[in-house]
Each structure stands twice: as C-alpha cells, then as structure tokens.
Amino acid sequence: MTAIRVNLPGDPIFPAAGPDRSYWVRCGAGLLDAIGPTVRDAGGRRAVVVCDAAVTRSHGRRVADSLRSAGIDVLAVDVPSGEPSKSVAEAARLWNAFADWAVDRGTHVVAIGGGVVGDLSGFVAATFGRGLPLWHVPTTLVAQVDSAIGGKTGINLPGGKNLVGAFWQPLGVFSDIDTLATLPRREFVSGFAEIIKYGVIFDAEFFSWLEANAARLLDREAVALTQAIGRSAALKAAVVERDEREITGERAALNYGHTFAHAFEAAAGYGTLLHGEAVAIGMARAARLALLMGRIDGALVARQDRLIESFGLPASWEAMATHTAGSLVALMSRDKKTLGGRLRFVLPDRLGHVELVDGVSHDAVIKALDG
Amino acid sequence: MTAIRVNLPGDPIFPAAGPDRSYWVRCGAGLLDAIGPTVRDAGGRRAVVVCDAAVTRSHGRRVADSLRSAGIDVLAVDVPSGEPSKSVAEAARLWNAFADWAVDRGTHVVAIGGGVVGDLSGFVAATFGRGLPLWHVPTTLVAQVDSAIGGKTGINLPGGKNLVGAFWQPLGVFSDIDTLATLPRREFVSGFAEIIKYGVIFDAEFFSWLEANAARLLDREAVALTQAIGRSAALKAAVVERDEREITGERAALNYGHTFAHAFEAAAGYGTLLHGEAVAIGMARAARLALLMGRIDGALVARQDRLIESFGLPASWEAMATHTAGSLVALMSRDKKTLGGRLRFVLPDRLGHVELVDGVSHDAVIKALDG
C-alpha cells in the first residue's frame, strides 16, 4: 500500500474539521475491508453508504460489513449508474433519504463508485445539515487518479455539467486496486488518459516510466498499478494544495486536453466517447496546436501519440469527419473555460510543463484538429 | 445611518474573498438607491436580483435601477412569497435561470425580501458555480435583525425545515428602514420578538431601552428603529464572530424560546402563528421553566411578559388548549436541537445572560406550558 498526504490548511471558520483539513489518499490492495476502523477512529458512529448500483454486491456490501463490524450503524443507498444520476432529482432523493434516517452532523457519508457517485455524494454531504463528514471509495481508475481527490463536488443542470456544486474535502480516500480487476476493459483503459496527462503537464520522469510500464499496467499488475495511481494522486494533491479553489490558475493545468475533449464529447453525443477517450484525442490535438504555435517540436507530439496509442487509446477521432472543424471550434467557444469568447488552451512548452495560453486564433485550432 | 461590522477571519482556502471575510451591515433610511455603487466597487459587473414577488414593484425595481445606473447588467428574478418557496424545486428554478443567463463566478447575487428569499438565494449563491458573491437586502424587520446576518442559508425538505443548506457569508447587508413603512402591522410587530430576545440573552441595558421606547418603535419612528435594528444586528454579529459555525455552542443562545416556538408552530400548522409570535410565547414559557428550576425569580418572568405584551405580542397561547402539554413535549423531543431524546433548553439565569441546560425533565416542561 502507498499513502499520499493531501496537505490543506485548517479552516478557521470550521475548527471542528480539526487543526488542519489534511487527509490521506490510501492506495493498494485489500483496502475495502479496512475502512470501518478508520471511520470509527474519526468519530463515525452512524454512516450512510452511497453506492453505484453496479458495484453494490461486489464492493458496497463489503464496505458496509466493515463499517458494521466496527460498530457503526449503516444506511445503504444505491444510485443508478451513469451520468444522469448527477441531477437535482437524484440529489433530492438522497437528501430525503438522509432526512428519513435522521442524519445529523455526526453521521458520516461514504461514497463508493466512480466520478458520478463521488461528485453527487460529495455535493449532498456538503449541503445536508450544512455539511457532513465525507469519505471517498473510488472504484474506477479515473476516479482513483482524478475525481476523488481535490474536493470538487457537483451535479449537472440541463444547461451544463457541474454548474451546481461546492468545494468539500473528504476526511480520506480509499483507492482499492482490487476493485479495478472487474472493471470492463474499455473503462479501465480510458483511465490512463488522465494518468498520461499528469506526466505531460507535471512530470517528465513519470511519463518515461509510463512508456516503460504500459504493458504491465494493461495487465493490471498490482505493483505497477499502485505506483501509477499513487504517483497520479500525489501530482494532483500537489496542485490542489497550491490552488484548492482555482484562484491562482495553477489548478487550470489539469484542463490539458479538456477544451478539445469537451467539444468532442458534446459533438459525439454524451456517452458515445468515454471521457478518457475524449481526453486522449484532446491531448493529441493540443500537442499539435502547441507545435503549430512553435511551442514544442514534432518529436514530442509523436512521442505523446505513441504513449496514448500504446494504452489502446485514440489519438485521432475517425468519426470527427462527420463534423466540420469549424463546428467543433464553435463548441469550444461556448466552453466555460473560455473567457469572453476568446479561446484559451493549456499547452505544453516541454515535457512535464504546461502554460495557460490566451487568445489562440480559430485558424490554428482548426489546423490542429485537421492535422 | 448606522453601520455594524461583522468581523470574520480570512478564509485561507478561498483567498479571492479578500484578506478577511468581514462585512458591513448598513442600517438606516434611503439605502435602496445607494446599493449600485457599493456592488460596483466590490467588482460586480453583472448581478442577479432575486426578489420576493410581493416587493418587486416597491423595492426590487429601485435596487435594479440603482445597479443599472452604476453600469451593472441586471437579471431580475421573482420568487413567490411564503415559506413554500424554500424548496428544492424553487432552488432548481433559480439554478436553471442562472445557467440560462450564463452566470459565472464574477456575477453577484442580490437577495431582496424576508427570510425566505434570503435563505433560498443564499443557498443558491453558495452552490451555483461552487459559490457566488452575495448581498442581502432584508425588507422585513425579522430579516433585518436576524436572518440576513450570520451566513446561514438553507431550504426545507418534506422531512424538516432548513435540512439542506450551507454557511455562506454575504459581502454586505443593506437594512433600509424605509421598507418597514409598508410592512403589514402583524408582520412588523412579530419582528420585535427576536429584538426582545437579544435583550434577554445578551444585553440587560438594551432590554430596559426597549421598555422605555416600545411606543416610539411601534410608531415606526426612524431614529428609534435604526437604534433597535442596529443594536440587534451588533449583538447577533458578536455571537456569529465568536461561533460562526455553531461549534462552541455560543451561537445556541440565539435559540432562546425557539424549542417551544417550533413545537407551537408545528402544532398550530405552519403559517397559523407567525414565527415571531411563536418565539414570544416560547420565551414566556422558557422563562417560566427557568423559574420552576430556580434559575430566576418571578419578577423577571413578569417583566419579560410585560415587554412582550407592550409590543402587542402574545405571552400565552389560547389555542394551545386544543393540544395537550404532553403532545407539545413530544414535538419538542423530535426537534433537531435535542440530543438523544433528552430535552435541552436555552434558559436565562439573569437578565442579559442565558445558559444551555441539558436533560430538562418532561414534567417541568409540562408545568411551564400550563403555567
């Protein structure tokens, strides 16, 4: 097992959270059965376990058993799998279930599943009773390396994704790699897009390590997976520590490839491309844009393409031919990360380092899409 | 005009809120027309004005005009009057209106009305885009002296009031006493219950001042009103500064009379008794309970009764005869401020000072109700 500390300052307006709000991201095998004692030691006497319905039998029950064995009273609530659960209606269903069980500020919330359950449960925990203690138990690769770390919670509106939410840090994260063994291959593979991203934006050495270990990772070797997830979690934790609430702009580096990705996902129709697949294509396009702007050379573009493809992820999108590059650029202009219609991109200037680049021309973006 | 500073520490996790989160509660006449420049100086370029539909014509338009004159782009949204608007459905309606107007973190929210609009708008401001700048413009006496100060926001669920919410401090509060001139007399009078409460729990001198000035206040004399509202706001601000998030228990003093009041409101059916009326009866009963427990003498009970009645507020509840004291105690046992079924009350031990008393016997409460 490896454990990464997320160092966050104490909150003077919420001293009950302790002298600081730092927490551990635990990563390794066999963690599900060890959650009970940790929650109990943190003062949990009652807990609501919110679980993706697809993993209730496999993982949810084990966590609930672990909590009960530690003397904790448990309410188990299932959430239907899929993005539509990040809705006002589903949040309201959870709020009402919490009310019916007389949840109070001493009740802990344990979220088990991927990003959908984590984001939804986190938002409900942030707002019920004006804030409940929260634990994340991510059971997908993308949740273990990305969404479970950093305290962003949220639900979608018809008008856009993640428009409603709160910053709400968990008391801890349990990333049990055993849960990845049963993950469908396409979903497992898509998680590597965000892992590759950390190498490109922050850590050239990690990028090289991924090149050398792709086969072991795809074979789901425990030691290699623990290293990749631990390193990714540490890189995300470091940027969250520096810019928890997206004030300084440092956290924006995490959006590398994402302005393109959001346009691809919207153009394809949500659910057609997995998020990680869209990010992989997006990173390939962003690298081409950086090349066109003279920020990097062609060798780095090719090297990133090779790593993306070695994980079985796409670097180009065949179906994109049915959309014009112009219509994709129009979608990007509506992305919430744009500022006043001008296009902004996170672009590399060397392996392991990116910058936020403002006012990129539409022509350059169209060329990067076509290239 | 008077202005009370609410001193709150800076939030290290949200430095954009400034070096500290302190703000001014302005109280006086003619403030509605002066809001625009203040919001503009705080960086507002766009603003959503959320207004109780009952005061849109009288107050909402003046505030919107003031904002527009200061060069601020305004979206005006009305909220139906009454407690049912503190709902998930109404929050969702506002969230969607915000999304349709492309509200972002640079858009300010201005809440105009009583506690319902303030609590609802505050919750929506706390959660849209993970937090927007907020201004309160309370137009009822009870909102000016209580709900607009202190950062509590929330909505109701079928299972209970204020079960969902967030702590979210405004950038400022504008308590314009001109808005009280048109307030229906019963609603105006009910606001004095909370004002009297501040005297009993924190400030014997203020209590005496209220005894001497009840007639001027009931005549809505501007100078007297400004003094009473300003003093109340200062007393509330002081306790919020010491215990913003109800951790130390100091903020619990504000619940004086409220455990009784919540039972009366529930027994009568919500909307039958105004909240302030229920609080007045509740304070009278709480004082009797303190007398029965030997904490205060009969003279103080009588003196508090006299002040309550001099404002035209009830100290006893005739309709209570249709309920047994036992059924009211059963309601209190379900109140969220109880702990494990034991009854807790905020009780005075002298004028200007209260304590939180645990484990009060049901018999004593029944006697206090009947007395």
Side-chain angles (χ1 to χ4, degrees), chain B residues 31-32 34-40 42 44-52 55 59-68 72-79 94 98 101 103 106-114 117-122 124-125 132-139 168 170-174:
Chain B
L31 297 180
L32 291 190
I35 291 175
T38 306
V39 173
R40 173 90 190 190
R45 295 296 176 269
R46 304 177 82 219
V48 182
V49 172
V50 183
C51 189
D52 186 309
V55 297
H59 312 320
R61 287 185 187 171
R62 279 176 61 197
V63 174
D65 286 346
S66 170
L67 292 165
R68 289 197 183 98
I72 297 167
D73 200 10
V74 172
L75 171 71
V77 184
D78 282 357
V79 169
L94 291 180
F98 282 34
W101 204 54
V103 164
T107 307
H108 290 222
V109 177
V110 181
I112 307 171
V117 166
D119 288 0
L120 169 70
S121 306
V124 169
L132 304 175
L134 170 70
W135 302 84
H136 280 303
V137 186
T139 61
W168 197 249
L171 296 188
V173 179
F174 296 90

Coordinates of all heavy atoms in Angstrom, one line a residue, chain B residues 31-32 34-40 42 44-52 55 59-68 72-79 94 98 101 103 106-114 117-122 124-125 132-139 168 170-174:
Chain B
L31 N -31.4 53.6 1.8 CA -30.3 52.8 1.4 C -30.5 52.1 0.0 O -29.5 51.8 -0.7 CB -30.0 51.7 2.4 CG -29.5 52.2 3.8 CD1 -29.3 51.0 4.7 CD2 -28.3 53.1 3.7
L32 N -31.7 51.8 -0.3 CA -32.0 51.1 -1.6 C -31.4 51.7 -2.8 O -30.9 51.0 -3.7 CB -33.5 50.9 -1.8 CG -34.3 50.0 -0.8 CD1 -35.7 49.8 -1.4 CD2 -33.6 48.7 -0.6
A34 N -28.7 53.4 -3.0 CA -27.3 53.5 -2.9 C -26.5 52.2 -3.0 O -25.3 52.1 -2.8 CB -26.9 54.2 -1.5
I35 N -27.3 51.2 -3.4 CA -26.6 49.8 -3.5 C -25.7 49.7 -4.7 O -24.6 49.1 -4.6 CB -27.8 48.7 -3.5 CG1 -28.4 48.7 -2.1 CG2 -27.2 47.4 -3.8 CD1 -29.6 47.8 -2.0
G36 N -26.1 50.3 -5.8 CA -25.3 50.1 -7.1 C -23.9 50.4 -6.9 O -23.0 49.5 -7.2
P37 N -23.5 51.6 -6.4 CA -22.1 51.9 -6.4 C -21.3 51.0 -5.5 O -20.1 50.6 -5.8 CB -22.1 53.3 -5.8 CG -23.4 53.9 -6.2 CD -24.4 52.7 -6.1
T38 N -21.9 50.5 -4.4 CA -21.2 49.6 -3.5 C -20.9 48.2 -4.1 O -19.8 47.7 -4.0 CB -22.0 49.4 -2.2 OG1 -22.4 50.6 -1.6 CG2 -21.3 48.5 -1.2
V39 N -21.9 47.7 -4.9 CA -21.7 46.5 -5.6 C -20.7 46.6 -6.7 O -19.8 45.8 -6.9 CB -23.1 45.9 -6.1 CG1 -22.9 44.7 -7.0 CG2 -24.0 45.6 -5.0
R40 N -20.8 47.8 -7.4 CA -19.8 48.0 -8.4 C -18.4 48.1 -7.9 O -17.4 47.6 -8.4 CB -20.2 49.4 -9.1 CG -19.2 49.9 -10.1 CD -19.5 49.4 -11.5 NE -18.4 49.7 -12.4 CZ -18.4 49.6 -13.7 NH1 -19.5 49.1 -14.3 NH2 -17.4 49.9 -14.5
A42 N -17.3 46.6 -5.4 CA -16.8 45.3 -5.0 C -16.6 44.4 -6.2 O -16.3 43.2 -6.1 CB -17.9 44.6 -4.1
G44 N -18.6 44.0 -9.0 CA -19.8 43.5 -9.7 C -20.0 44.2 -11.0 O -20.0 45.4 -11.1
R45 N -20.1 43.4 -12.1 CA -20.4 43.9 -13.4 C -21.7 43.4 -14.0 O -22.3 44.0 -14.8 CB -19.2 43.6 -14.4 CG -17.9 44.2 -14.1 CD -17.9 45.8 -14.2 NE -16.7 46.4 -13.8 CZ -16.4 46.8 -12.5 NH1 -17.3 46.6 -11.6 NH2 -15.2 47.3 -12.2
R46 N -22.1 42.2 -13.4 CA -23.4 41.6 -13.7 C -24.0 41.2 -12.4 O -23.2 40.9 -11.4 CB -23.2 40.4 -14.6 CG -22.5 40.6 -15.9 CD -22.3 39.3 -16.6 NE -23.5 38.9 -17.4 CZ -24.0 37.7 -17.5 NH1 -23.4 36.7 -16.9 NH2 -25.1 37.5 -18.2
A47 N -25.3 41.3 -12.2 CA -25.9 40.9 -11.0 C -27.3 40.3 -11.3 O -28.0 40.7 -12.1 CB -26.1 42.1 -10.1
V48 N -27.6 39.2 -10.5 CA -28.9 38.6 -10.5 C -29.6 39.2 -9.3 O -29.1 39.0 -8.1 CB -28.9 37.1 -10.4 CG1 -30.4 36.6 -10.5 CG2 -28.1 36.5 -11.6
V49 N -30.7 39.9 -9.5 CA -31.6 40.4 -8.4 C -32.7 39.4 -8.1 O -33.5 39.2 -9.0 CB -32.1 41.8 -8.7 CG1 -33.1 42.2 -7.6 CG2 -31.0 42.8 -8.8
V50 N -32.6 38.7 -7.0 CA -33.7 37.7 -6.6 C -34.6 38.4 -5.6 O -34.2 38.8 -4.5 CB -33.1 36.5 -6.0 CG1 -34.2 35.5 -5.7 CG2 -32.0 35.9 -6.9
C51 N -35.9 38.6 -6.0 CA -36.8 39.5 -5.2 C -38.1 38.7 -4.8 O -38.6 38.1 -5.7 CB -37.1 40.7 -6.0 SG -37.9 42.0 -5.0
D52 N -38.5 38.9 -3.6 CA -39.8 38.4 -3.2 C -40.8 39.2 -4.1 O -40.9 40.4 -4.2 CB -40.1 38.8 -1.7 CG -41.4 38.2 -1.2 OD1 -42.4 38.4 -1.8 OD2 -41.3 37.6 -0.1
V55 N -42.6 42.4 -3.2 CA -41.9 43.8 -3.1 C -41.2 44.1 -4.4 O -40.3 45.0 -4.4 CB -41.0 43.8 -1.9 CG1 -41.9 43.7 -0.6 CG2 -39.9 42.8 -1.9
H59 N -39.7 47.7 -4.1 CA -38.3 47.8 -3.7 C -37.4 47.2 -4.8 O -36.3 47.7 -5.1 CB -38.0 47.0 -2.4 CG -39.0 47.3 -1.3 ND1 -39.4 48.6 -1.0 CD2 -39.6 46.6 -0.4 CE1 -40.2 48.7 0.0 NE2 -40.3 47.4 0.4
G60 N -37.8 46.1 -5.4 CA -36.9 45.3 -6.3 C -36.5 46.2 -7.5 O -35.3 46.3 -7.9
R61 N -37.4 47.0 -8.0 CA -37.1 47.8 -9.2 C -36.2 48.9 -8.8 O -35.3 49.3 -9.6 CB -38.4 48.4 -9.8 CG -39.2 47.4 -10.5 CD -40.4 48.0 -11.2 NE -41.3 46.9 -11.7 CZ -42.5 47.1 -12.2 NH1 -43.0 48.3 -12.2 NH2 -43.2 46.1 -12.7
R62 N -36.3 49.5 -7.6 CA -35.4 50.6 -7.2 C -34.0 50.0 -7.1 O -33.0 50.7 -7.5 CB -35.8 51.1 -5.8 CG -36.9 52.2 -6.0 CD -37.4 52.7 -4.7 NE -36.4 53.4 -3.9 CZ -36.5 53.6 -2.6 NH1 -37.6 53.2 -1.9 NH2 -35.6 54.2 -1.9
V63 N -33.8 48.8 -6.5 CA -32.5 48.3 -6.4 C -31.9 48.0 -7.8 O -30.8 48.3 -8.1 CB -32.5 47.0 -5.5 CG1 -31.1 46.3 -5.6 CG2 -32.9 47.3 -4.1
A64 N -32.8 47.4 -8.7 CA -32.3 47.1 -10.0 C -31.9 48.4 -10.7 O -30.8 48.4 -11.4 CB -33.4 46.4 -10.8
D65 N -32.7 49.4 -10.6 CA -32.3 50.7 -11.2 C -31.0 51.2 -10.7 O -30.2 51.8 -11.4 CB -33.4 51.8 -10.9 CG -34.7 51.5 -11.8 OD1 -34.6 50.7 -12.7 OD2 -35.7 52.1 -11.4
S66 N -30.8 51.1 -9.3 CA -29.5 51.6 -8.7 C -28.3 50.8 -9.3 O -27.3 51.4 -9.6 CB -29.6 51.4 -7.2 OG -28.3 51.6 -6.6
L67 N -28.5 49.5 -9.5 CA -27.4 48.7 -10.0 C -27.2 49.1 -11.5 O -26.0 49.2 -11.9 CB -27.8 47.2 -9.9 CG -27.9 46.6 -8.5 CD1 -28.6 45.3 -8.5 CD2 -26.5 46.4 -7.9
R68 N -28.2 49.2 -12.3 CA -28.1 49.6 -13.7 C -27.4 51.0 -13.8 O -26.6 51.2 -14.7 CB -29.4 49.6 -14.4 CG -30.0 48.1 -14.6 CD -31.1 48.1 -15.6 NE -31.6 46.7 -15.7 CZ -32.8 46.3 -15.1 NH1 -33.5 47.2 -14.4 NH2 -33.2 45.1 -15.2
I72 N -24.1 48.2 -14.0 CA -24.2 46.8 -13.8 C -25.3 46.2 -14.6 O -26.4 46.7 -14.6 CB -24.3 46.5 -12.3 CG1 -23.1 47.0 -11.6 CG2 -24.6 45.0 -12.1 CD1 -23.3 47.0 -10.0
D73 N -25.0 45.1 -15.4 CA -26.0 44.4 -16.1 C -26.9 43.5 -15.2 O -26.3 42.8 -14.3 CB -25.3 43.5 -17.1 CG -26.1 43.1 -18.3 OD1 -27.2 43.6 -18.5 OD2 -25.7 42.2 -19.0
V74 N -28.2 43.7 -15.3 CA -29.1 43.0 -14.2 C -30.0 42.0 -14.8 O -30.7 42.3 -15.8 CB -29.9 44.1 -13.5 CG1 -30.9 43.5 -12.6 CG2 -29.0 45.0 -12.7
L75 N -30.1 40.9 -14.2 CA -31.2 39.9 -14.4 C -32.1 39.9 -13.2 O -31.6 39.7 -12.1 CB -30.7 38.5 -14.7 CG -31.7 37.4 -14.7 CD1 -32.5 37.5 -16.0 CD2 -31.1 36.0 -14.6
A76 N -33.4 40.2 -13.4 CA -34.3 40.2 -12.2 C -35.1 38.9 -12.2 O -35.7 38.6 -13.2 CB -35.2 41.4 -12.3
V77 N -35.2 38.3 -11.1 CA -35.9 37.0 -10.9 C -36.8 37.2 -9.7 O -36.3 37.5 -8.6 CB -35.0 35.8 -10.7 CG1 -35.8 34.5 -10.6 CG2 -33.9 35.7 -11.8
D78 N -38.1 36.9 -9.9 CA -39.0 37.0 -8.7 C -39.2 35.6 -8.1 O -39.2 34.6 -8.8 CB -40.4 37.5 -9.2 CG -40.4 39.0 -9.4 OD1 -39.4 39.6 -9.1 OD2 -41.5 39.5 -9.8
V79 N -39.4 35.6 -6.8 CA -39.7 34.4 -6.0 C -41.1 34.6 -5.4 O -41.3 35.6 -4.7 CB -38.6 34.1 -5.0 CG1 -39.0 33.0 -4.0 CG2 -37.3 33.8 -5.6
L94 N -34.2 28.6 -9.8 CA -33.2 29.7 -9.8 C -31.9 29.2 -10.4 O -31.3 29.9 -11.3 CB -32.9 30.1 -8.4 CG -34.0 30.9 -7.7 CD1 -33.6 31.3 -6.3 CD2 -34.4 32.2 -8.5
F98 N -30.1 30.9 -13.6 CA -28.7 31.4 -13.6 C -27.9 30.8 -14.8 O -27.1 31.5 -15.4 CB -28.0 30.9 -12.3 CG -28.3 31.8 -11.0 CD1 -29.6 32.3 -10.8 CD2 -27.4 32.0 -10.0 CE1 -29.9 33.1 -9.7 CE2 -27.7 32.7 -8.9 CZ -28.9 33.3 -8.7
W101 N -28.7 32.5 -18.0 CA -28.1 33.8 -18.1 C -26.6 33.8 -18.2 O -25.9 34.8 -18.1 CB -28.6 34.7 -17.0 CG -28.6 36.2 -17.3 CD1 -29.2 36.8 -18.4 CD2 -28.0 37.2 -16.5 NE1 -29.0 38.2 -18.3 CE2 -28.2 38.4 -17.2 CE3 -27.3 37.2 -15.3 CZ2 -27.8 39.7 -16.7 CZ3 -26.8 38.4 -14.8 CH2 -27.1 39.6 -15.5
V103 N -24.5 32.8 -15.9 CA -23.9 33.4 -14.6 C -22.6 32.7 -14.4 O -22.5 31.4 -14.5 CB -24.9 33.1 -13.4 CG1 -24.2 33.3 -12.1 CG2 -26.1 34.1 -13.5
G106 N -18.1 35.7 -11.5 CA -18.0 37.2 -11.4 C -19.3 37.8 -11.3 O -19.4 39.1 -11.3
T107 N -20.4 37.0 -11.3 CA -21.8 37.6 -11.2 C -22.2 37.7 -9.8 O -22.0 36.7 -9.0 CB -22.8 36.7 -12.0 OG1 -22.3 36.5 -13.3 CG2 -24.1 37.3 -12.0
H108 N -22.7 38.8 -9.3 CA -23.2 39.0 -7.9 C -24.6 38.6 -7.8 O -25.4 38.8 -8.8 CB -22.9 40.4 -7.5 CG -21.5 40.8 -7.3 ND1 -21.0 41.5 -6.2 CD2 -20.4 40.4 -8.0 CE1 -19.7 41.6 -6.3 NE2 -19.3 41.0 -7.4
V109 N -25.0 38.2 -6.6 CA -26.4 37.9 -6.3 C -26.9 38.8 -5.3 O -26.2 39.1 -4.3 CB -26.6 36.4 -5.8 CG1 -28.0 36.1 -5.4 CG2 -26.1 35.4 -6.8
V110 N -28.1 39.5 -5.5 CA -28.6 40.4 -4.6 C -30.0 39.9 -4.2 O -30.9 39.8 -5.0 CB -28.8 41.8 -5.3 CG1 -29.3 42.8 -4.3 CG2 -27.4 42.3 -5.8
A111 N -30.2 39.6 -2.9 CA -31.4 39.0 -2.4 C -32.3 40.0 -1.7 O -31.8 40.7 -0.8 CB -31.1 37.9 -1.4
I112 N -33.5 40.3 -2.2 CA -34.4 41.3 -1.7 C -35.6 40.7 -1.1 O -36.4 40.1 -1.9 CB -34.7 42.3 -2.7 CG1 -33.5 42.9 -3.4 CG2 -35.6 43.5 -2.1 CD1 -33.7 43.7 -4.6
G113 N -35.9 40.8 0.2 CA -37.1 40.3 0.8 C -36.9 39.9 2.2 O -36.0 40.4 2.9
G114 N -37.7 38.9 2.7 CA -37.6 38.5 4.1 C -36.7 37.3 4.1 O -35.9 37.0 3.3
V117 N -36.6 34.5 1.1 CA -35.8 34.9 -0.1 C -34.3 34.9 0.3 O -33.5 34.5 -0.5 CB -36.2 36.2 -0.7 CG1 -35.2 36.8 -1.7 CG2 -37.6 36.1 -1.4
G118 N -34.0 35.4 1.5 CA -32.6 35.4 1.9 C -32.0 34.0 2.0 O -30.9 33.8 1.5
D119 N -32.7 33.1 2.7 CA -32.2 31.8 2.9 C -32.1 31.0 1.5 O -31.1 30.3 1.3 CB -33.1 31.0 3.8 CG -33.1 31.4 5.2 OD1 -32.3 32.4 5.5 OD2 -33.8 30.9 6.1
L120 N -33.1 31.2 0.7 CA -33.1 30.5 -0.6 C -32.0 31.0 -1.5 O -31.2 30.3 -2.1 CB -34.5 30.7 -1.3 CG -34.6 30.2 -2.7 CD1 -34.5 28.7 -2.9 CD2 -35.9 30.8 -3.3
S121 N -32.0 32.4 -1.7 CA -31.0 33.0 -2.5 C -29.6 32.7 -2.0 O -28.6 32.5 -2.8 CB -31.2 34.5 -2.6 OG -32.5 34.8 -3.0
G122 N -29.4 32.7 -0.7 CA -28.1 32.4 -0.1 C -27.6 31.0 -0.5 O -26.5 30.8 -0.9
V124 N -28.6 29.2 -3.1 CA -28.3 29.1 -4.5 C -27.0 29.8 -4.8 O -26.2 29.3 -5.6 CB -29.5 29.8 -5.3 CG1 -29.2 30.0 -6.8 CG2 -30.7 28.9 -5.2
A125 N -26.7 31.0 -4.1 CA -25.4 31.7 -4.4 C -24.3 30.8 -3.9 O -23.2 30.8 -4.5 CB -25.5 33.0 -3.6
L132 N -21.0 32.1 -5.4 CA -21.0 33.4 -6.0 C -21.1 34.5 -4.9 O -21.6 34.3 -3.8 CB -22.3 33.6 -6.8 CG -22.5 32.5 -7.9 CD1 -23.9 32.7 -8.5 CD2 -21.5 32.6 -9.0
P133 N -20.6 35.7 -5.2 CA -20.7 36.8 -4.2 C -22.2 37.2 -4.0 O -23.0 37.2 -5.0 CB -20.0 38.0 -4.9 CG -19.3 37.4 -6.1 CD -20.0 36.1 -6.5
L134 N -22.5 37.5 -2.7 CA -23.9 37.6 -2.3 C -24.1 38.9 -1.5 O -23.3 39.3 -0.7 CB -24.3 36.4 -1.5 CG -25.6 36.4 -0.7 CD1 -26.8 36.3 -1.6 CD2 -25.6 35.2 0.3
W135 N -25.2 39.6 -1.7 CA -25.6 40.7 -0.9 C -27.0 40.5 -0.4 O -27.9 40.0 -1.2 CB -25.6 42.0 -1.8 CG -24.3 42.3 -2.4 CD1 -23.8 41.8 -3.6 CD2 -23.3 43.2 -1.9 NE1 -22.6 42.3 -3.8 CE2 -22.2 43.2 -2.8 CE3 -23.2 44.0 -0.8 CZ2 -21.0 43.9 -2.7 CZ3 -22.0 44.7 -0.6 CH2 -21.0 44.7 -1.5
H136 N -27.3 40.9 0.9 CA -28.6 40.7 1.4 C -29.3 42.1 1.5 O -28.7 43.1 2.0 CB -28.6 40.1 2.8 CG -28.5 38.6 2.8 ND1 -29.4 37.8 2.1 CD2 -27.6 37.8 3.3 CE1 -29.0 36.5 2.3 NE2 -27.9 36.5 3.0
V137 N -30.5 42.2 1.1 CA -31.3 43.5 1.2 C -32.6 43.1 1.9 O -33.6 42.9 1.3 CB -31.6 44.1 -0.1 CG1 -32.3 45.5 0.1 CG2 -30.3 44.3 -1.0
P138 N -32.5 42.9 3.3 CA -33.7 42.4 4.0 C -34.8 43.5 4.1 O -34.4 44.7 4.4 CB -33.2 42.1 5.4 CG -31.9 42.9 5.5 CD -31.3 43.0 4.1
T139 N -36.0 43.2 3.8 CA -37.1 44.2 3.8 C -38.2 43.9 4.8 O -39.3 44.4 4.8 CB -37.8 44.2 2.4 OG1 -38.3 42.9 2.1 CG2 -36.7 44.6 1.3
W168 N -22.7 30.6 4.2 CA -22.2 31.4 3.1 C -22.5 32.9 3.5 O -23.6 33.3 3.5 CB -23.0 31.1 1.8 CG -22.3 31.6 0.6 CD1 -22.7 32.6 -0.2 CD2 -21.1 31.2 0.0 NE1 -21.8 32.8 -1.2 CE2 -20.8 31.9 -1.1 CE3 -20.1 30.2 0.4 CZ2 -19.7 31.7 -1.9 CZ3 -19.0 30.0 -0.4 CH2 -18.8 30.8 -1.5
P170 N -22.5 36.9 3.3 CA -22.7 37.9 2.2 C -21.5 38.9 2.2 O -20.6 38.9 3.1 CB -23.9 38.7 2.7 CG -23.9 38.6 4.2 CD -23.3 37.2 4.5
L171 N -21.4 39.7 1.1 CA -20.4 40.7 1.1 C -20.9 42.0 1.8 O -20.1 42.9 2.1 CB -20.1 41.1 -0.4 CG -19.4 40.0 -1.3 CD1 -19.0 40.7 -2.6 CD2 -18.2 39.4 -0.6
G172 N -22.2 42.0 2.1 CA -22.7 43.1 2.8 C -24.2 43.0 3.0 O -24.9 42.2 2.2
V173 N -24.8 43.8 3.9 CA -26.2 43.7 4.2 C -26.7 45.2 4.2 O -26.1 46.1 4.8 CB -26.5 43.1 5.6 CG1 -28.0 43.1 5.8 CG2 -25.9 41.7 5.6
F174 N -27.8 45.4 3.4 CA -28.5 46.7 3.4 C -29.8 46.6 4.1 O -30.8 46.1 3.4 CB -28.6 47.2 2.0 CG -27.3 47.4 1.2 CD1 -26.7 46.4 0.5 CD2 -26.7 48.7 1.3 CE1 -25.5 46.6 -0.2 CE2 -25.5 48.9 0.6 CZ -24.9 47.8 -0.1

